Amino acid sequence: INSAGAVGLAQVSRALAQLRTLRAHAVAVGSRTELLRAARHFEAAAAAVAEGAVMAAQVSLHQAPLPPPGWCVTACAPARVDLSGGWSDTPPLCWEAQGGGAVLNVAVALGTSGGGPELPLSARARRLAETAVLLVPWEGLAANSSGPAGEGGGEGVLLTQMSQLEACSDPAAPFALLRAAILSCGVLKLGRGAPPLQAQLLALGGGVEVRCHSALPHGSGLGTSSILGACAIAAAAGAFGVSLDGRSLAHATLQLEQRL
């Protein structure tokens, strides 16, 4: 990983070769102590390589209509059931497979009282005139709603500094997923030398209020956190007048997971 945090293909290739050598040596030695020691080093090294490669991926933004203050962008998605190949498409596993990983998923919607399908995962972003990020609980918003927002309620968290968004890695921070989504949507400049959050929001025409909702139980194993994160990224980007294609949204979601 270079000083800018970027990882080139040659660097990844060399790192993977070194990881394989480490693993092969531990297997050849065969002692439990050596295997455990190698496993710890292999896990830490693999995590570092994966983080560097994921964070170096380019997130491409496309211009979209900029909603006026008070209007909303809502993103909804189904849950998923993994039939086979789970995790084979994620680093570092996908790097060792010839041609990458292969996962077979089934999208899952929920039935409604009216008999029609309902997408169980939703995020909504509302444009604000103020130069701040407001993260609030979901309260009674239909998953398919869009357009002017009604009156919100409930306790939220008002963020005006970049360090508050970057606190998403703190397990005790409320709305950690939404903080990471704002950082990952590609709109804000990050890193050393980046302008203050409020200055960036002023240049973007205002702030944003973000909330998300899952109709599934926590820990259901149906992809809730990553899919909900993707919804939050898409909604936040739309509220700032940009959109992400499928590849960029996948990269942004992987970066969100690294930030948590």
Side-chain angles (χ1 to χ4, degrees), residues 83-221:
L83 299 182
S84 68
W87 295 101
S88 69
D89 61 333
T90 58
L93 296 180
C94 63
W95 295 333
E96 296 209 37
Q98 293 296 325
V103 181
L104 179 60
N105 289 329
V106 174
V108 179
L110 302 181
T112 65
S113 57
E118 176 186 354
L119 299 181
L121 304 170
S122 306
R124 190 195 76 173
R126 180 169 68 96
R127 287 276 297 168
L128 300 177
E130 299 80 9
T131 54
V133 173
L134 178 61
L135 308 178
V136 294
W138 187 279
E139 290 192 355
L141 180 74
N144 62 350
S145 67
S146 59
E151 290 297 319
E155 290 195 21
V157 176
L158 187 68
L159 310 179
T160 57
Q161 299 179 19
M162 194 66 73
S163 61
Q164 295 173 308
L165 281 176
E166 293 168 345
C168 57
S169 58
D170 181 357
F175 304 106
L177 182 77
L178 297 183
R179 295 176 197 239
I182 298 294
L183 292 175
S184 303
C185 71
V187 173
L188 298 176
K189 295 180 176 66
L190 308 176
R192 245 179 271 172
L197 176 59
Q198 288 190 298
Q200 294 196 53
L201 294 176
L202 181 62
L204 291 167
V208 66
E209 171 196 290
V210 186
R211 61 183 75 200
C212 63
H213 171 71
S214 171
L216 301 170
H218 181 70
S220 63

